Amino acid sequence: ANVLNAPFIIDDTAGIVNNPDIGKFSSLVSRPVLIFAKLPFYLAYNLGGLSPIVFRLFNLAFHTGSVFCLFLIVRRLFNFRQAFFTALLFAIHPIFIESVTWISAVSYPQYSFFILLTILSYIYGQKSKKWYIASVLFALFSILSSEKAVSLPPMLILLEWVFF
């Protein structure tokens, strides 16, 4: 809350404030592989102009979604108490502050959210095959958010091996 309306910082100035194409649809689709990585910037600019709070709200929304997904995953695999404390630690740990406050790092909470959503869908897919389709879709979203999402298949293999 302390930094929501803080000014843009180093990378944010170069990539957002001084970027003449930030709100143009053509820049969004110019590199389709990164469309999900650019989408929050496009939407934030078109919703609130160059207001840092609007940009940071996207980071905060992805982080909050990740906390909720993590809670549901741990609750499903273990119990409520462990899920609550795991999600609480994830929500407030200082190591995550950078990905929420640094606007240019929106891809970090974004792909993390989609990875956790993929894992959650995969777990729910153990009882309903419809969730498997959703997990594939969310995996695609995570890959289109950041190349770092290549760690997802080994995570799913490990999850399957350990829990199922």
Side-chain angles (χ1 to χ4, degrees):
N2 294 338
V3 298
L4 279 178
N5 206 23
F8 291 102
I9 55 174
I10 302 165
D11 292 346
D12 302 335
T13 304
I16 297 168
V17 177
N18 296 336
N19 182 354
D21 297 328
I22 192 74
K24 295 179 181 172
F25 185 75
S26 59
S27 71
L28 184 64
V29 295
S30 64
R31 292 179 61 197
V33 174
L34 298 175
I35 194 165
F36 275 89
K38 294 179 179 184
L39 188 60
F41 293 148
Y42 173 78
L43 292 173
Y45 181 81
N46 285 298
L47 288 172
L50 287 175
S51 170
I53 193 167
V54 177
F55 284 87
R56 284 195 179 94
L57 285 175
F58 278 91
N59 294 28
L60 185 60
F62 284 126
H63 182 67
T64 303
S66 294
V67 170
F68 187 66
C69 286
L70 182 63
F71 172 80
L72 293 175
I73 290 167
V74 176
R75 188 181 78 182
R76 182 78 172 214
L77 297 177
F78 297 101
N79 62 45
F80 178 86
R81 184 176 179 187
Q82 288 174 324
F84 177 79
F85 286 110
T86 301
L88 180 65
L89 180 62
F90 184 83
I92 64 172
H93 197 282
I95 200 162
F96 297 113
I97 193 70
E98 181 182 49
S99 65
V100 176
T101 60
W102 180 25
I103 296 169
S104 295
V106 70
S107 66
Y108 299 151
Q110 183 181 25
Y111 82 83
S112 299
F113 169 69
F114 285 122
I115 282 177
L116 289 169
L117 203 53
T118 302
I119 292 170
L120 182 63
S121 300
Y122 183 82
I123 291 170
Y124 286 149
Q126 299 298 318
K127 295 190 182 214
S128 169
K129 299 301 178 195
K130 294 176 191 175
W131 283 101
Y132 279 128
I133 296 168
S135 68
V136 170
L137 183 65
F138 295 136
L140 179 62
F141 289 170
S142 68
I143 292 167
L144 292 175
S145 297
S146 174
E147 68 279 353
K148 293 176 183 86
V150 297
S151 61
L152 181 58
M155 281 189 245
L156 292 175
I157 291 169
L158 187 61
L159 179 72
E160 182 69 32
W161 181 58
V162 172
F163 290 100
F164 305 116

